[in-house]
Amino acid sequence: MWMSGATAGPDYTELETVTTNYRMAAEDLGLPDDLRTVLAQPYREVTAQVPVRMDGGGLRVFTAYRVQHSGALGPFKGGLRFHPMVDLDEVRALAAAMTWKTALVDLPFGGGKGGVTLVRRDHSDAELQRASRGVMRALQKVLGPQRDIMAPDMGTGPAEMAWLMDEYARLVGHAPAIVTGKPEALGGTCGRVEATGLGVAITAREAAREMGLDVAGARVVVQGFGNVGSHAAEFLADLGARVVAVSDVDGGVYHPEGLDLPELLRRCRAGITGHHGMDVERITNEEMLALPCEILVPAAVGGVLHAGNADRVRARLIVEGANTPTTPGADVVFAERGVTVVPDILANAGGVIVSYFEWVQNLQNVRWTRRKVDDELRERLTRAFGIIHRRSLHDSVSLRDAAHRVAVERVAAALRLRGFDLF
Ligand code: NAD
């Protein structure tokens, strides 16, 4: 899905964006045709019917998708999204992006993604619980702690993961490693909720250092003030940045001197809507992308930065909290203008890294401390950033191109070693 705005819409769909980034890497690496063909399409796609009894007695039938892109490096891993714009192409795009992401940060996982087309805020907790259980019943045969492990994404969180885990326990037996992002009381790990936002802040700091940009005092704009965006804003503020604008699906708020972030976070987490009494200017989601700032964090939906608006972006550094927020058309403009982009498959990999820590803890029946989780996350992301940064200098390409080259190389090597052509 991508956002509409006052200007022309995106020049590429999310699937076209992901496919283009992969094809360019495959081409530059000189990947043989047979490998290229295998990696160009998903291994398996499931579309399932999920009938859900509504609180009022009526029945709604939702469509659930699960796409498993590549299992070359291990079990499929990827989130489950509840959002009105979910469709099969979007899930295909996100599943492939997960393959490159897990390979890039050196996790023993392949890539997968799931989604249900629904408007979360139209449903009660009871309806969401019935929908989550229905998804597990519909997809259970292709899932498993050693086969495919789901996690939260847009519109889902710890509660949905708990229901999915419980439904799996009823069907198959107790196996907490079937999903990650669970509540801590049910075997979830500490640090998972904050992990993606923390990863955005860590990679922003690494990139800023290489650019000679001081994060302390830098103006930051965050589009999407959900799980990823709100935590990214908080961690960047901890590094001394000034968060000047944030938004949600209904629009954004702006203050050139910096927003009262603690108050915004308090209201957001208490479910308070509106900005009564706050000294802020209301802006649209499209306007906020063109605000004067040093760092822009798109952390909502795909395709928001495209050839039609990239020249208006004033940030020097873009750190992609969301998946596929930048189209290849915008990438060309950013390269010409010297805007650095930390690509999604690195910038938002904190979530899947800590999901991996949760899976490991579940399989071993142990619990890590918050310090261990955060230290290991920092270590992995910093190492991955270093590898990509050096590759981008060596090959004279963008961080995105370098990241895809490293990821595609690793997955292709695993496929070769498995003997993919002799099945
Ligand atoms: P979320 O549901 O917690 O928050 C999403 C935010 O985006 C909300 O503020 C919502 O109001 C806003 N939003 C939704 N549609 C919008 C639109 N059309 N225009 C502007 N804003 C809109 O979701 P999240 O978990 O924070 O995920 C955000 C992005 O980060 C997604 O692209 C997701 O795939 C990606 N991501 C999430 C994780 C994770 O761990 N949650 C990990 C990696 C990547």
Side-chain angles (χ1 to χ4, degrees):
M1 121 235 352
W2 62 89
M3 253 183 47
S4 61
T7 54
D11 39 354
Y12 290 73
T13 66
E14 280 187 279
L15 186 56
E16 287 167 347
T17 294
V18 171
T19 306
T20 302
N21 291 330
Y22 158 68
R23 288 220 173 103
M24 285 191 329
E27 184 68 34
D28 295 332
L29 293 168
L31 217 62
D33 280 350
D34 47 5
L35 262 174
R36 216 181 274 207
T37 311
V38 171
L39 289 173
Q41 49 211 353
Y43 167 73
R44 181 192 273 146
E45 301 180 346
V46 180
T47 300
Q49 189 190 63
V50 179
V52 177
R53 185 65 61 194
M54 296 290 106
D55 295 344
L59 189 83
R60 285 273 306 272
V61 180
F62 296 99
T63 304
Y65 306 98
R66 187 73 187 168
V67 174
Q68 298 172 333
H69 176 260
S70 169
L73 286 168
F76 305 99
K77 185 84 188 82
L80 175 71
R81 178 177 282 198
F82 283 179
H83 195 278
M85 303 299 284
V86 164
D87 63 20
L88 186 53
D89 270 355
E90 178 188 83
V91 182
R92 284 178 176 136
L94 295 166
M98 284 304 295
T99 296
W100 313 132
K101 192 182 301 183
T102 53
L104 187 66
V105 291
D106 208 10
L107 302 179
F109 288 137
K113 202 77 179 192
V116 183
T117 317
L118 64 74
V119 183
R120 192 195 156 86
R121 60 184 171 190
D122 288 355
H123 298 285
S124 66
D125 279 355
E127 289 172 355
L128 291 170
Q129 177 169 172
R130 289 194 284 273
S132 303
R133 290 183 184 281
V135 169
M136 180 51 81
R137 284 196 298 277
L139 300 179
Q140 177 254 314
K141 285 194 172 56
V142 299
L143 304 174
Q146 302 294 344
R147 179 166 288 157
D148 185 350
I149 305 120
M150 299 204 284
D153 192 80
M154 270 218 295
T156 58
E160 285 74 19
M161 298 304 116
W163 298 324
L164 290 167
M165 183 196 87
D166 186 67
E167 193 62 23
Y168 189 80
R170 288 173 192 221
L171 295 166
V172 180
H174 184 61
I178 180 64
V179 288
T180 57
K182 300 176 292 290
E184 284 184 53
L186 292 176
T189 184
C190 54
R192 173 61 184 88
V193 173
E194 304 86 349
T196 310
L198 177 56
V200 168
I202 291 169
T203 53
R205 190 196 51 200
E206 293 298 305
R209 192 174 48 224
E210 295 300 338
M211 297 164 63
L213 170 68
D214 199 351
V215 173
R219 292 165 299 174
V220 176
V221 168
V222 180
Q223 185 188 59
F225 203 56
N227 175 286
V228 178
S230 66
H231 288 106
E234 208 171 4
F235 288 117
L236 283 165
D238 287 348
L239 295 175
R242 254 188 309 145
V243 179
V244 294
V246 300
S247 72
D248 64 14
V249 65
D250 299 318
V253 288
Y254 173 54
H255 193 300
E257 301 305 320
L259 296 165
D260 180 354
L261 195 62
E263 175 60 12
L264 276 171
L265 287 164
R266 189 190 68 75
R267 291 184 185 209
C268 173
R269 287 168 190 166
I272 300 167
T273 51
H275 302 91
H276 183 70
M278 291 192 75
D279 177 19
V280 293
E281 184 187 327
R282 298 280 312 175
I283 49 168
T284 66
N285 264 300
E286 189 62 34
E287 285 163 352
M288 73 181 309
L289 299 172
L291 287 174
C293 65
E294 281 71 44
I295 303 175
L296 172 62
V297 180
V301 293
V304 293
L305 297 167
H306 47 81
N309 64 9
D311 57 348
R312 287 201 294 278
V313 169
R314 289 151 84 178
R316 290 176 57 197
L317 173 62
I318 297 171
V319 189
E320 297 184 331
N323 284 309
T324 65
T326 309
T327 70
D331 270 334
V332 171
V333 177
F334 293 143
E336 280 166 8
R337 295 184 44 217
V339 177
T340 299
V341 182
V342 184
D344 49 3
I345 59 172
L346 176 65
N348 69 29
V352 73
I353 292 174
V354 177
S355 272
Y356 163 65
F357 299 159
E358 181 172 327
W359 182 74
V360 168
Q361 292 171 69
N362 292 158
L363 295 178
Q364 298 179 346
N365 276 308
V366 294
R367 267 194 195 280
W368 292 11
T369 61
R370 179 65 190 265
R371 170 173 289 193
K372 182 170 164 72
V373 168
D374 288 359
D375 286 353
E376 296 252 352
L377 171 62
R378 239 176 264 282
E379 209 262 320
R380 276 184 182 262
L381 270 180
T382 310
R383 190 170 59 220
F385 182 88
I387 290 170
I388 294 156
H389 184 248
R390 285 192 295 279
R391 182 70 175 259
S392 83
L393 293 178
H394 180 270
D395 293 3
S396 299
V397 293
S398 66
L399 291 173
R400 188 186 316 284
D401 289 346
H404 281 85
R405 287 180 188 191
V406 171
V408 173
E409 241 166 32
R410 288 180 178 171
V411 178
L415 268 181
R416 274 201 194 95
L417 290 166
R418 280 171 176 256
F420 81 102
D421 51 348
L422 293 177
F423 290 166

